[in-house]
Amino acid sequence: MLHDLLSIIFPQLCIHCGEPLVGSERALCTACLCNIGWLHNAAHPGNSTEQRLSGRIPFQAAASLLSFKKGSVTQDIVHHIKYYKCTRLAHQYGKLFGEELRDSGRFSDIDCLVPVPLHWWRRLRRGYNQSQLICEGIAEILHCPVSAHNLYRRRHTSSQTHKNHQERIDNMAGAFRVRHPEKFEGKHILLVDDVLTTGATTEACYHALQAVPGLCISVATLSIASA
């Protein structure tokens, strides 16, 4: 009764269209849920995520859960996870992603999940790393540990949002390091990020990891931006 009363006084709104949520709706109304750009590409070698990364880094498998377009439902999901610490939303979609990765059979030998790190100053200001929140949802399904501190961002980088392909690469060059390479030696890691755009960030992470003996990398991004 208290919940119903509070819903009348302070109605929860859909994060995309702004309409009041009713019944069991959470974060998104039913109409907006129907417009999510699901990709379901985890089970398919040569999918759009792998095509985006092909020739950039060697990887075993790659997948994305959602298609990211400006003004889309996916954009609002990602932005609320990234900027408003919607932990429940990150966990929910992380678990959904984890189920697709598990059911695909292509990510069955993952040893640990590695979120793309934020610089310590940006993490301090934001209070969290959105990729780690997504990781925790995936990890619950894959039953894998999350290694959140071994790969780190050694320098602050400016936003990638308005940069072209080459500017993104230059901006990320040398941005990452590995504290204890021996902890990743011989492992198969799943590198997790919120959005895959040009692949510059993923490539920069690989350059930091490539010297680790016997390391195998797969990639999972919650969304992939339209080409």
Side-chain angles (χ1 to χ4, degrees):
M1 291 179 64
L2 178 60
H3 179 271
D4 291 341
L5 180 60
L6 289 173
S7 295
I8 294 172
I9 301 173
F10 304 106
Q12 294 185 343
L13 306 178
C14 174
I15 63 173
H16 181 67
C17 70
E19 290 296 315
L21 300 176
V22 297
S24 61
E25 293 177 343
R26 295 291 181 271
L28 290 165
C29 68
T30 302
C32 290
L33 277 172
C34 293
N35 289 319
I36 291 179
W38 301 103
L39 288 175
H40 303 300
N41 70 9
H44 306 292
N47 61 53
S48 57
T49 308
E50 296 189 355
Q51 291 175 25
R52 188 72 55 89
L53 296 172
S54 181
R56 305 285 298 277
I57 67 169
F59 57 87
Q60 178 165 310
S64 303
L65 183 68
L66 306 168
S67 174
F68 186 105
K69 297 178 182 178
K70 186 175 181 180
S72 67
V73 178
T74 296
Q75 182 183 43
D76 285 320
I77 291 172
V78 172
H79 281 191
H80 274 73
I81 292 172
K82 188 169 185 174
Y83 300 115
Y84 300 107
K85 199 181 181 180
C86 288
T87 306
R88 185 168 63 180
L89 203 61
H91 191 251
Q92 174 188 352
Y93 283 90
K95 287 179 65 177
L96 288 172
F97 199 9
E99 290 168 357
E100 289 207 0
L101 297 173
R102 178 198 62 197
D103 295 345
S104 74
R106 302 174 65 228
F107 299 83
S108 58
D109 60 344
I110 297 294
D111 293 303
C112 69
L113 279 66
V114 179
V116 170
L118 294 178
H119 186 263
W120 68 267
W121 177 241
R122 181 168 291 175
R123 175 158 186 159
L124 183 65
R125 292 182 62 187
R126 187 174 294 173
Y128 62 98
N129 177 359
Q130 72 278 0
S131 296
Q132 185 175 342
L133 296 180
I134 297 165
C135 257
E136 289 165 359
I138 297 173
E140 184 172 327
I141 303 300
L142 297 187
H143 304 293
C144 291
V146 176
S147 175
H149 305 293
N150 198 21
L151 178 67
Y152 71 99
R153 197 178 294 237
R154 60 180 289 269
R155 65 178 179 81
H156 179 72
T157 54
S158 58
S159 172
Q160 298 275 78
T161 304
H162 300 294
K163 290 180 171 58
N164 62 34
H165 179 70
Q166 188 57 50
E167 288 171 341
R168 287 170 181 261
I169 293 174
D170 295 341
N171 186 46
M172 298 307 300
F176 301 99
R177 289 288 186 273
V178 181
R179 286 190 172 90
H180 304 286
E182 68 279 3
K183 291 185 177 181
F184 285 158
E185 189 170 338
K187 302 287 188 181
H188 181 188
I189 68 169
L190 183 63
L191 188 65
V192 178
D193 205 359
D194 55 350
V195 184
L196 175 65
T197 306
T198 64
T201 300
T202 305
E203 186 175 356
C205 288
Y206 167 73
H207 287 318
L209 293 161
Q210 64 181 337
V212 178
L215 180 67
C216 178
I217 298 174
S218 287
V219 179
T221 66
L222 185 66
S223 62
I224 178 172
S226 300

